[in-house]
Amino acid sequence: QVQLVDSGGGLVQAGGSLRLSCTASGRTFTARRYAMGWFRQAPGKEREFVGVISYNGGSISYAYSVKGRFTISRDNAQNTVYLRMNSLKPEDTAVYYCAASSLVIATSADQFDYWGQGTQVTVSS
């Protein structure tokens, strides 16, 4: 099994920055080269893809809405993936979830096998 614990959310003013972290554990995770992604979900809205990074970091993809502002990275030695969010906007307010996919790369929620519990990001104007 795989367990994901995400953290780092909070309240920030528009234009501010925040870094989310997600740490994975479990024998299944350590034995496979999981792609790691971030999704977000605002109240009343569908879960939305934010970004993804392949195991070796060679492939990275972002949603258009966050491109140029957010940066995804990972440290495989620590089984951790990060999402650095700069120039935050009120529209970025959502619960953010990290997720692991057994595929080399994936951008759809149904392609991810494991999910963190979510961390709230609130951006005030």
Side-chain angles (χ1 to χ4, degrees):
Q1 69 274 49
V2 174
Q3 297 83 40
L4 304 178
V5 179
D6 41 23
S7 62
L11 176 64
V12 64
Q13 293 185 5
S17 298
L18 213 56
R19 188 181 75 161
L20 307 183
S21 300
C22 174
T23 299
S25 62
R27 290 183 179 275
T28 302
F29 185 86
T30 59
R32 301 190 66 175
R33 297 175 177 267
Y34 283 93
M36 296 295 296
W38 288 95
F39 291 77
R40 66 187 183 185
Q41 188 166 23
K45 307 199 75 174
E46 192 75 19
R47 186 164 297 190
E48 175 188 24
F49 168 76
V50 175
V52 66
I53 183 169
S54 63
Y55 175 79
N56 63 5
S59 296
I60 297 176
S61 183
Y62 298 100
Y64 178 82
S65 60
V66 307
K67 194 172 299 182
R69 299 188 297 120
F70 291 10
T71 302
I72 191 169
S73 61
R74 67 190 297 168
D75 184 343
N76 289 337
Q78 296 186 338
N79 297 318
T80 301
V81 63
Y82 303 95
L83 183 68
R84 178 68 180 182
M85 305 181 292
N86 295 326
S87 302
L88 283 163
K89 307 174 181 179
E91 308 92 90
D92 296 317
T93 296
V95 177
Y96 283 70
Y97 300 89
C98 68
S101 174
S102 60
L103 302 177
V104 175
I105 199 71
T107 57
S108 178
D110 60 11
Q111 296 176 306
F112 287 78
D113 307 296
Y114 304 99
W115 296 82
Q117 80 284 356
T119 184
Q120 176 71 47
V121 173
T122 302
V123 184
S124 65
S125 58

